[in-house]
């Protein structure tokens, strides 16, 4: 009843809501997502802990009712995440996923390749920026939510063009 009421009120077939199902996921969370048909979140930066059953690994993302992200506003940018990884983790990722050039674009492409209904990359990853452009550090109270993009449109266009080309390649329109 609630589901139908919400859909009718918003005049949509599917609710435009993403379940932030990060952290410890119990059966209640799974049931809620299922009952309302809500997509969950898959963060690629969480995928590479060496656990083959890691639910964030692209091969373990079952079905398509997901939104895949490189990272979120609470994570390091992909460039800083990569730079902070230990050498062994980097070697494993490079070997298994053919990372070679730019970790931001490698992770973006890896996310676009998934069968998730939606893929999102923060602009910091699209522009290959480091943590000097980070938005938020959970557990801190200073210097959060202050970052602003200070790049001109002409400087951004090549990155957006590349993002668009990957989107076309992987049929993400």
């Amino acid at each position: 009843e609630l589901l139908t009421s919400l859909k009718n009120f918003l005049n949509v077939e599917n609710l435009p809501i993403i379940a932030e199902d990060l952290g410890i996921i119990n059966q209640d969370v799974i049931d809620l997502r299922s009952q309302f048909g809500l997509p969950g979140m898959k963060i690629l930066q969480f995928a590479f802990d060496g656990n083959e059953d890691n639910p964030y690994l692209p091969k373990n993302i079952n079905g398509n009712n997901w939104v895949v992200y490189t990272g979120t506003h609470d994570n390091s940018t992909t460039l800083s995440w990569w730079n902070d990884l230990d050498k062994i983790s980097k070697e494993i990722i490079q070997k298994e996923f053919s990372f070679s050039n730019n970790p931001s674009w490698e992770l973006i492409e890896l996310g676009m390749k998934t069968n998730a209904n939606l893929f999102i990359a923060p602009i910091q990853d699209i522009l290959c920026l480091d943590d000097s452009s980070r938005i938020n550090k959970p557990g801190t109270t200073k210097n959060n939510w202050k970052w602003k993009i200070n790049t001109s449109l002409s400087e951004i266009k090549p990155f957006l063009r590349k993002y668009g080309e990957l989107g076309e390649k992987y049929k993400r329109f």
Side-chain angles (χ1 to χ4, degrees), residues 129-141:
L129 301 174
D130 65 16
D131 271 356
S132 64
S133 302
R134 185 171 176 163
I135 292 185
N136 183 46
K137 281 191 177 183
T140 64
T141 58

Side-chain angles (χ1 to χ4, degrees), residues 61-81:
I61 299 174
N62 298 315
N64 63 2
N65 199 22
W66 300 103
V67 180
V68 171
Y69 300 76
T70 52
T72 73
H73 60 273
D74 284 335
N75 298 84
S76 286
T77 66
T78 294
L79 182 60
S80 288
W81 163 80

Side-chain angles (χ1 to χ4, degrees), residues 4 12-13 59 61 66 69 87 135 144 162:
T4 305
V12 295
E13 189 174 318
K59 69 179 184 177
I61 299 174
W66 300 103
Y69 300 76
K87 185 179 177 185
I135 292 185
N144 289 317
K162 182 175 181 176

Side-chain angles (χ1 to χ4, degrees), residues 61-104:
I61 299 174
N62 298 315
N64 63 2
N65 199 22
W66 300 103
V67 180
V68 171
Y69 300 76
T70 52
T72 73
H73 60 273
D74 284 335
N75 298 84
S76 286
T77 66
T78 294
L79 182 60
S80 288
W81 163 80
W82 180 260
N83 289 339
D84 290 342
L85 278 177
D86 61 90
K87 185 179 177 185
I88 294 170
S89 295
K90 284 182 185 178
E91 288 172 357
I92 292 168
I93 294 168
Q94 287 170 325
K95 182 179 178 188
E96 188 169 343
F97 296 97
S98 303
F99 275 35
S100 57
N101 290 329
N102 182 311
S104 294

Side-chain angles (χ1 to χ4, degrees), residues 27-169:
Q27 193 59 45
D28 288 342
V29 174
I30 294 166
D31 292 346
L32 179 78
R33 276 193 54 245
S34 178
Q35 179 184 355
F36 291 101
L38 301 176
M41 297 174 69
K42 297 292 184 182
I43 313 302
L44 293 175
Q45 288 181 18
F46 298 167
F48 308 104
D49 62 359
N51 177 0
E52 284 299 310
D53 295 329
N54 185 312
Y56 299 101
L57 272 172
K59 69 179 184 177
N60 296 331
I61 299 174
N62 298 315
N64 63 2
N65 199 22
W66 300 103
V67 180
V68 171
Y69 300 76
T70 52
T72 73
H73 60 273
D74 284 335
N75 298 84
S76 286
T77 66
T78 294
L79 182 60
S80 288
W81 163 80
W82 180 260
N83 289 339
D84 290 342
L85 278 177
D86 61 90
K87 185 179 177 185
I88 294 170
S89 295
K90 284 182 185 178
E91 288 172 357
I92 292 168
I93 294 168
Q94 287 170 325
K95 182 179 178 188
E96 188 169 343
F97 296 97
S98 303
F99 275 35
S100 57
N101 290 329
N102 182 311
S104 294
W105 282 104
E106 303 282 0
L107 209 58
I108 287 169
E109 187 162 9
L110 189 61
M112 284 199 183
K113 286 180 187 178
T114 68
N115 62 347
N117 281 337
L118 185 62
F119 169 75
I120 296 175
I123 191 70
Q124 294 89 336
D125 288 350
I126 294 170
L127 298 176
C128 307
L129 301 174
D130 65 16
D131 271 356
S132 64
S133 302
R134 185 171 176 163
I135 292 185
N136 183 46
K137 281 191 177 183
T140 64
T141 58
K142 296 186 185 216
N143 298 318
N144 289 317
W145 302 100
K146 291 184 177 184
W147 180 77
K148 293 180 184 177
I149 195 165
N150 61 4
T151 310
S152 71
L153 186 56
S154 62
E155 292 173 294
I156 294 173
K157 273 186 180 179
F159 294 96
L160 296 179
R161 187 173 295 115
K162 182 175 181 176
Y163 192 76
E165 288 167 358
L166 279 176
E168 283 186 39
K169 180 179 178 180

